[in-house]
Every structure is written in structure tokens, then in C-alpha cells.
Amino acid sequence: MNYTFADRVRSLQSSAVRDILKVVNQEGVISFAGGLPDDQLFPLEGIADSFAKVFASGKHGLQYTETEGYLPLREILLDRMEKKGINNYTTKELMLTTGSQQVIDLFARVMLNPGDVILTEDPTYLAALQVFHSYEATVIGVTTDEDGMIMEDLEEKIRVYQPKCIYVVPTFSNPSGKVWSYERREKLVSLAHEHNFIVLEDDPYGELQFNREETYTPIAALDNGTSVLYTSTFSKTAVPALRTGWVVGPFEIIDMMSQAKQANDLHSNSLSQQALYHFCTSYDLDGHIETLISEYESRMNLMYDLLKKADLPGLKLTKPKGGMFFWLELHEKLNTTELLPKAVARGVAYVPGEPFFASQPKTNTLRLNFSHATTTQIEHGIAILTTLFKEALEEAEVTV
Amino acid sequence: MNYTFADRVRSLQSSAVRDILKVVNQEGVISFAGGLPDDQLFPLEGIADSFAKVFASGKHGLQYTETEGYLPLREILLDRMEKKGINNYTTKELMLTTGSQQVIDLFARVMLNPGDVILTEDPTYLAALQVFHSYEATVIGVTTDEDGMIMEDLEEKIRVYQPKCIYVVPTFSNPSGKVWSYERREKLVSLAHEHNFIVLEDDPYGELQFNREETYTPIAALDNGTSVLYTSTFSKTAVPALRTGWVVGPFEIIDMMSQAKQANDLHSNSLSQQALYHFCTSYDLDGHIETLISEYESRMNLMYDLLKKADLPGLKLTKPKGGMFFWLELHEKLNTTELLPKAVARGVAYVPGEPFFASQPKTNTLRLNFSHATTTQIEHGIAILTTLFKEALEEAEVTV
């Protein structure tokens, strides 16, 4: 039978993330592709104890609850937000969701008409691009450098497109691993106030900061409570399977997103929200994050050293200050989408850079995750990849 | 600040469900409003044991997983579907979701363009209406009687509106508690094949069948695998907090919904899916459902007897054969929306019938839930309500 789908699904038909997850699950493939934390570091015992506490408190916790989520967990998160300088809000303005992915989706759902313009970093989180396209928004990429969006390009695109919204991942960005400078964060907020657009600040990786002495002020902390929504998740600091994220921001927008969420799924898994409340109060979450940081930093350093040592002609590579990802720009003659099947055939997966771009894809880029693979896998996998890239350079007649 | 939202949120601005849940949570109000199962009957021990089993099996279960959900649970559900006669499908065509609410949302998202017509029963599940309106679909209600949609009205509306989809709750419907006859189920499927529309069969209450000797064949079991999607949930048989529902249907549509789900939330809470797998395999789910049935049936009978005994002039009332709801049609001079604040002031909540209608609201109708209140609350609450309705009839100069 031929089914006629809604126009909005056209953009969904090909999904890079979906293909990635399939590769990740193949036996024997070393995957630098997914954005996965390391299973072995999951605080299983703390999570199990937290669930036991919920069950011990009786049956009522298994009932339906309100759309915004379990209030005591929202109180704890509000407190954590305030410590980051985001202090314009109350629990009425903080909602729990099914991961921060749902925040991106609900935000787009309530904000974007077909044809409305949203600006993103170029490159940016590819599943956010998918969401914006699925609401038939016009997505325009803003050029970035080491310090975030280039402000001249941003101002030009604000002038030309009069965007309704801007989506950014300013701290240890996915995919680029970069950190916005304080000045650009401030400038973005002042542009938002001047030109009346709403910023969605997506910060899933902010806690995974390798150098604890620096301070990266959230963009939402520089706002006056009118123009920036901040979202994060427990997926990278606790565990992904609980699918618990949150969003904090201006009441009118949160309230509208909550109404959209009610239509979407009534409420998220509230048993997990209650367990995470116990996890936050009875378990040393910050100590656990320190463990993650130290482990991920050493894997990052290993991968960095191996990539440097391979001495690939034309390679551009920055050492990430946190998060989970390396962003590589190879010699301009290499095409990472074309090279992927060869890499997978040799037993290594990565994500080609192309789908991360809103506007002008650089086909010689790729993203490598360093948080999921073991050190042995990193050594083995990077050797395979750099050999493959060298061979491709030779084929392209670049002197290696 | 004045925010400009997307056009699609216009329909979200007033939400009856939201207001209901607020009333439900007020201390001291006897609520017949929400569609809540009874907390006291939750199989807490079985659920707790099931989670313990997941935790005992190691850390991998806490990782990200695929969008369609935990495969072993999908296998079990497929088996349960086959026992109901829905046997055109494999696990590729069965996806786990955040409750069946998310199924309704994803279905609308992939099927309905603004202006596309979807037919529903009149009255129907109000949160489904909300979803369809939020995608700017045109929702047309089809008149119903004791046996489901009236086929003459359905055929007329198919002719006039050429609907793309039809949404039905054919077994112990929310709100009306009615059951479609076999003939009408068959007729709907043959009309779907003839006129090329897709049916979403929502069956959250089907397991709660008071007379186990009758058989209510799912509409999906009468299809040839092309035109009917079937959705149900663990919320009414196990517990709501796990927010686990599922949908089974033609691959092309399930696959598209899966892609939309990936944009929506990547995947649902997979820890709960794994726990529900253990719950289904190690715990006597069907035995538990028998307990629920026997308890809910006795509450239904009590409420029915009390309503009958009150002898309200003009009352139309049918004894439900399953599910959780009574649907009352009062004397035509009474307006249940206007009477609600008075009822709440006296300590009882219900849902006025108006928001359940897609097309022609009957303002003298209301929905009463019988699964959540205790017998004492039912006795006390029905006494308050019937007294209130009698007073209102006297005021309206109807002879009581």
C-alpha cells in the first residue's frame, strides 16, 4: 500500500544518527561514532539503591503525576542551576523531560512555524537539525571558530534573516568540542535582547570539564530571565537509560512547552525522576562526575597523542577542554562520508562531519567520541583510522 | 516580554486534562475525574523485584538503546498481540513508546498535514483531540450509539470529508465505556480498505473486561496488515509511572513513527522496559489483571446501583462492560461544566462531557471514573453529586 505521510516527515527520511546506532551495535566494530558514556563507569549501585528507596516509600510513587515532573527533583536541579548562576527562576520554570532531546523538540514545536528561521552553529548537533527541519523551519548555520559563533557572521545573519530563535551548544560542543568565550556569550545575549530572538542553550556536556579551574558561565546566567532557555540531562553524568533531562527558562515558554508535552506524552517516567532525586541526595554525584572527568580526560589525551603522532598532512585538530568529542578536519582532498564504509570494513566507526552542518558542509571533517572506547580500543582504532587516511591521501596524491 | 509562539500551539492554550489533574491533587476532594488506576492495587513487589533483576544483570542495561525499544519486551508483546488475533506483524512492526499518548502524538505527527481530516467518535478521548488540533488537523466527530460509531453517519462523513485517518477507542471507550459490535468493527475495516484511510485503534482498557466469556476482537485483528494501527499501554494493567506503551501496525508507518520518535526523544526509558520484561516473564500479569477486574467491577457495580437508586429524572446511563468509566447523560436542562465548581466546592470532582466532543458537545454529559476511589468515597461522593444534580433540577424547575 502507498501511504501518504505529512509533509513534515520529508526531512526525517534519512537519519544519520539512526545509521550510527546500527553500526555501534555491530559486534567487533570499535565505535568512535555514538555519543555514548562508558557503561563501565555507570554508578549502578547508587542507581539501584535509589530505586530501592522509591519502592520502600510505597505505592503512590507509581501513579500518574503532573506533566512538569517530580517536584523534589526539580527543587534539587533548581539549586544546581542557581550554583551555575542561572537564578532568575523558580520550580515553576523548570520542567523535567525525556532527555534534553525532548526539550529541543518541544521548544521547536511551540516556537517555530514552517519557514521561521532558526540559526545554529555550523557545525551543530545533528539531531537538533533533524528536529528543526521536521517542523519545516529554515535552519541557517553561522560560521564558528575556536571561540564560538563568529559575531560578524552572526550579526549579518540576524540582519538578513531576522531569526526567531538561535540554538547553541556553547560548552564542549557536540560535535566540535569547543567552548564559547565569555565575550561572545555576553554578546549573544545582548543581541537577543536587541533583536528579540530566543536562545536555546543546550548543555549536556558542561559538567564534564577537564580543567576545573576555569569557569564557563552559562549563557542563561547572563540573561535577565526573558530570552534564554537552558537545557541539560542526567544522561552524561548519571545514566542514559533513565532518559531524564530538564529545561529552565521564562515561564511563558516553559508553560507552553509543558502544554505541548502533555499532548506529546502526558509526563515522563516519574519513577526514574524519584530515583534520581534519591541519587542526588544520597549519592556523591559530584564525586562521581570527578571520576568521569579524570577517566575521560585520560582517554582524550591518549587519542590526542595518537592523532598527533600520526602526523596526517593537512589535519586540523583542537584539544577539547571537556565533553566527549574530537572534531577533525582532514586534508581537503579527503571525503569522510566516502571513507566511512572502508573504515567500518576494517572495524572502526566514526561520524562523518557532513550531517552536522546546517548550511555549508565540510566533507573532510569527522567526529570522534573518546568516552566510550577502552584505551586498547582507542590505540587499535586510531591506528586503523590513521592508516586508512594515509592510504587515502596517497591515493589522492597528497605527499604523506 | 511578548513571545510569538508557533500557530500550532493555539489549540493547546486551554487544557481540560491539565485542570483535572490539578483538582485531583487537591486534598480532601473525592475525585471521579482522572483516569487513574487504584494505587493500592499496584503490584509494587513485582515491580521492585523486576527492577532488581535488571540491576543484577549488570551495567549495560543503563546505556542508550535503539529508538524502537527493548527487543525482548517487544517479543513478549508481539506474542500477546498474536493471542488477540493481531498476527500480521513481527517485532520490526512493534515499537515501545512513552505511554500510548506518545503513539497518538507520533501518529498525528507523521500522518496529518494542517487541514487533513481525521474522524473520531463523538465523544472521544479528549487528549487525543488536543493532539490532532495541535497538528492543525480538521477533526470531525461521528455520532455514536451503544454499539460504536453509527455506520450511516460514518459513511456520510467519509463521503463528505474524505478523511485521511480515523481514531477510535472501540473497547470500554474513554469516555463512554462502550464496546463496538463485531459487525461495526468489520465494517470499519472494509471501509478503510475501500476508501484508503488509516485507523488508529487505541485500546488502553481492553484487558479490563468484566465478563471474560465475551470476546471483543480488536479491529486490527480484522485488517490485512495495511490499514490499522493498534496501541495499548502498561499504565492500566501494571503501573502508570513507567510510562510504557506500544504500537503495532504496517511497517512503513511504524518506521516513520520511529524516525519521528528519534527526533522527539531518541528513545523511551529503557530501564523500565527491561523491568517490564522481567515483570511479564516472572510475575503473573494475567492473574494481577484478574484481581484488578474483580475489584474494579465491584466498584462499578456499587456506583451503578447508587446512581440508579438516586432516580435522577432524565438520566441516561449504561452499565460498562469493562474499563474505568461511566458516561452519564443528565437531563437536558443541566449543564455539567457550570455545575463542576459547585461539585468541587462540595468536595467531589468529575469531568464535564463537553471537551470530549469533536463536533457537537452535549453540555448535559459527564464522565465518572470508578477505578480510583474507595467504596466509602464512592458512597459519599455519589451522594453529594446526586444531591447537587437534584437541586439543580429543582432550580431548573424539573420535577424531581
Side-chain angles (χ1 to χ4, degrees), chain A residues 1-9 12-15 17-19 21-22 25 35-44 47-49 51-52 54-56 58-68 98-99 101-103 105-106 108-114 116 125 127 130-131 134-136 164 192 196-198 225-227 233 235-236 239-244 250 252-253 255-256 258-272 274 372, chain B residues 1-9 12-15 17-19 21-22 25 35-44 47-49 51-52 54-56 58-68 98-99 101-103 105-106 108-114 116 125 127 130-131 134-136 164 192 196-198 225-227 233 235-236 239-244 250-253 255-256 258-272 274 372:
Chain A
M1 190 159 160
N2 279 328
Y3 299 102
T4 315
F5 292 104
D7 295 341
R8 68 178 76 82
V9 307
L12 294 173
Q13 313 248 8
S14 77
S15 159
V17 172
R18 163 177 289 241
D19 295 340
L21 286 175
K22 280 183 185 148
N25 292 328
L36 305 186
D38 183 0
D39 314 18
Q40 293 314 311
L41 299 172
F42 287 154
L44 176 62
I47 296 288
D49 289 350
F51 273 88
V54 182
F55 295 130
K59 294 181 171 179
H60 185 67
L62 300 175
Q63 188 55 278
Y64 283 106
T65 187
E66 54 186 353
T67 304
E68 295 80 359
T98 305
Q101 183 69 32
Q102 193 183 32
V103 173
D105 189 62
L106 294 173
R109 183 166 176 161
V110 308
M111 297 305 299
L112 297 174
N113 276 324
D116 279 350
Y125 174 46
Q130 259 191 294
V131 170
S134 82
Y135 289 103
E136 299 171 85
K164 194 160 178 190
N196 241 333
F197 57 78
I198 305 298
T226 62
S227 307
T233 173
S235 295
K236 276 71 181 185
V239 297
L242 302 186
R243 308 296 302 116
T244 302
E252 290 89 332
I253 302 177
D255 186 50
M256 196 59 85
S258 159
Q259 292 179 55
K261 179 167 169 57
Q262 190 178 50
N264 186 189
D265 65 10
L266 296 181
H267 64 81
S268 294
N269 191 297
S270 50
L271 183 64
S272 291
Q274 294 166 74
H372 188 251
Chain B
M1 190 161 160
N2 278 328
Y3 300 102
T4 314
F5 292 104
D7 295 341
R8 67 179 75 81
V9 307
L12 294 173
Q13 312 249 7
S14 75
S15 158
V17 172
R18 162 176 289 243
D19 295 340
L21 286 175
K22 281 183 185 149
N25 292 330
L36 306 186
D38 184 359
D39 312 18
Q40 293 314 311
L41 299 172
F42 287 154
L44 176 62
I47 295 289
D49 288 351
F51 273 88
V54 183
F55 295 131
K59 294 180 171 180
H60 185 67
L62 300 175
Q63 188 54 279
Y64 283 107
T65 187
E66 53 186 352
T67 303
E68 294 82 358
T98 305
Q101 183 70 32
Q102 193 184 32
V103 173
D105 189 61
L106 294 173
R109 184 166 175 162
V110 307
M111 296 306 298
L112 298 173
N113 276 324
D116 279 350
Y125 174 46
Q130 260 192 293
V131 171
S134 83
Y135 288 102
E136 301 171 87
K164 193 161 179 188
N196 242 333
F197 57 77
I198 306 297
T226 63
S227 308
T233 174
S235 295
K236 276 72 181 185
V239 296
L242 303 187
R243 307 297 303 117
T244 303
F251 176 74
E252 291 88 333
I253 302 177
D255 186 50
M256 196 61 85
S258 159
Q259 293 178 56
K261 179 167 169 58
Q262 190 178 51
N264 186 189
D265 64 11
L266 296 182
H267 64 81
S268 294
N269 191 296
S270 50
L271 184 63
S272 291
Q274 293 166 73
H372 188 251

Side-chain angles (χ1 to χ4, degrees), chain B residues 346-368:
Chain B
R346 295 185 189 189
V348 186
Y350 60 81
V351 195
E354 235 177 305
F356 294 100
F357 286 89
S359 294
Q360 297 186 302
K362 289 188 179 175
T363 53
N364 57 332
T365 55
L366 70 148
R367 189 190 76 176
L368 294 180

Side-chain angles (χ1 to χ4, degrees), chain B residues 84-157:
Chain B
K84 285 179 175 290
I86 302 169
N87 45 27
N88 287 305
Y89 304 110
T90 70
T91 50
K92 271 174 51 191
E93 287 114 12
L94 190 149
M95 176 167 74
L96 302 177
T97 55
T98 305
S100 48
Q101 183 70 32
Q102 193 184 32
V103 173
I104 301 171
D105 189 61
L106 294 173
F107 176 79
R109 184 166 175 162
V110 307
M111 296 306 298
L112 298 173
N113 276 324
D116 279 350
V117 173
I118 181 162
L119 303 183
T120 69
E121 293 153 277
D122 221 3
T124 190
Y125 174 46
L126 61 86
L129 291 177
Q130 260 192 293
V131 171
F132 304 142
H133 286 135
S134 83
Y135 288 102
E136 301 171 87
T138 300
V139 189
I140 305 288
V142 177
T143 314
T144 57
D145 64 14
E146 291 311 303
D147 295 319
M149 278 182 178
I150 294 174
M151 287 296 128
E152 292 68 30
D153 193 47
L154 173 61
E155 290 185 72
E156 170 69 7
K157 280 168 180 160

Side-chain angles (χ1 to χ4, degrees), chain A residues 177-293:
Chain A
K178 292 172 188 168
V179 183
W180 282 45
S181 69
Y182 185 86
E183 292 67 31
R184 298 214 190 157
R185 291 170 190 245
E186 259 191 330
K187 179 73 180 170
L188 179 64
V189 172
S190 83
L191 286 169
H193 294 167
E194 188 183 336
H195 296 279
N196 241 333
F197 57 78
I198 305 298
V199 177
L200 176 59
E201 176 178 23
D202 187 7
D203 189 30
Y205 310 103
E207 299 278 1
L208 302 175
Q209 180 180 329
F210 298 151
N211 178 351
R212 298 303 265 176
E213 270 142 48
E214 293 194 57
T215 302
Y216 303 118
T217 310
I219 292 173
L222 304 170
D223 182 34
N224 58 4
T226 62
S227 307
V228 184
L229 284 89
Y230 174 96
T231 177
S232 189
T233 173
F234 282 104
S235 295
K236 276 71 181 185
T237 53
V239 297
L242 302 186
R243 308 296 302 116
T244 302
W246 65 93
V247 58
V248 63
F251 177 74
E252 290 89 332
I253 302 177
I254 298 294
D255 186 50
M256 196 59 85
M257 286 169 67
S258 159
Q259 292 179 55
K261 179 167 169 57
Q262 190 178 50
N264 186 189
D265 65 10
L266 296 181
H267 64 81
S268 294
N269 191 297
S270 50
L271 183 64
S272 291
Q273 294 171 1
Q274 294 166 74
L276 281 166
Y277 164 76
H278 290 294
F279 186 75
C280 288
T281 49
S282 306
Y283 185 86
D284 181 13
L285 175 58
D286 291 316
H288 176 65
I289 291 171
E290 291 300 331
T291 308
L292 295 178
I293 288 171

